[in-house]
């Protein structure tokens, strides 16, 4: 099986490198799901993004140990409520990616965030809302990640 290719131009491709991109299937205000659920899986190279099974939520499970890059635009601030998102590893808070306190941003303000973390085999990562309710949009919200090495 080919694991890496270097073209004559020096372009490196890794066709089996773990990578995923997922989006929510519901849009609208009043969302309270915790963790965020990204049921519309667009890419799932290596099958690390899990959407079903006992106790499964929409989460990434590391197939190999390494440094992983994650990016998200998980939701929107809804009206006059607080909004924040954190990254959770194995069910524990790891990093707060952003927070809007009531009145500090306009309704439906959004953000994008990224982080690099070191994971062991079978560590799982979820995006978790810090406050509810929040707004989701199937076109603009996402959670993605990839093994860097």
């Amino acid at each position: 099986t080919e694991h890496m290719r270097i073209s004559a131009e020096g372009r490196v491709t890794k066709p089996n490198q773990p990578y995923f991109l997922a989006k929510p299937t519901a849009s609208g205000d009043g969302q309270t799901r915790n963790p965020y659920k990204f049921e519309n899986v667009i890419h799932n190279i290596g099958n690390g993004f899990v959407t079903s099974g006992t106790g499964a939520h929409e989460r990434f499970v590391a197939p190999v140990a390494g440094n992983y890059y994650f990016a998200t635009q998980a939701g929107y601030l809804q009206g006059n409520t607080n909004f924040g998102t954190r990254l959770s590893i194995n069910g524990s808070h790891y990093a707060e990616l952003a927070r809007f306190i009531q009145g500090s941003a306009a309704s439906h303000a959004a953000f994008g965030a990224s982080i690099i973390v070191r994971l062991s085999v079978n560590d799982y990562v979820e995006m978790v809302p810090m406050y509810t309710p929040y707004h989701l949009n199937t076109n603009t919200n996402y959670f993605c990640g990839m093994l860097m090495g």
Side-chain angles (χ1 to χ4, degrees):
T1 302
E2 182 179 299
H3 293 281
M4 184 183 331
R5 177 180 290 179
I6 303 174
S7 71
E9 296 81 27
R11 181 173 177 238
V12 176
T13 57
K14 299 177 186 178
N16 297 314
Q17 181 178 22
Y19 163 77
F20 74 93
L21 170 62
K23 292 183 169 192
T25 57
S27 287
D29 286 338
Q31 303 294 319
T32 60
R33 295 178 290 177
N34 187 353
Y36 294 106
K37 289 193 175 190
F38 300 94
E39 306 97 333
N40 182 15
V41 181
I42 297 164
H43 301 289
N44 195 9
I45 307 303
N47 298 314
F49 195 74
V50 179
T51 60
S52 64
T54 304
H57 299 282
E58 283 69 21
R59 62 174 59 157
F60 176 76
V61 180
V64 298
N67 296 317
Y68 287 83
Y69 171 84
F70 295 101
T72 190
Q73 203 277 47
Y76 290 90
L77 171 74
Q78 178 186 314
N80 291 320
T81 61
N82 295 334
F83 179 78
T85 294
R86 69 177 188 241
L87 179 128
S88 172
I89 298 177
N90 299 327
S92 296
H93 170 79
Y94 182 80
E96 184 175 313
L97 300 178
R99 182 189 306 187
F100 296 115
I101 300 302
Q102 188 175 20
S104 65
S107 179
H108 292 74
F111 67 92
S114 60
I115 190 170
I116 297 171
V117 297
R118 178 102 180 134
L119 298 177
S120 297
V121 174
N122 293 324
D123 280 351
Y124 67 90
V125 175
E126 298 167 311
M127 291 296 162
V128 180
M130 294 170 57
Y131 310 99
T132 60
Y134 54 87
H135 178 84
L136 280 180
N137 187 293
T138 58
N139 293 319
T140 56
N141 297 129
Y142 64 89
F143 177 29
C144 65
M146 65 179 279
L147 173 66
M148 294 178 56

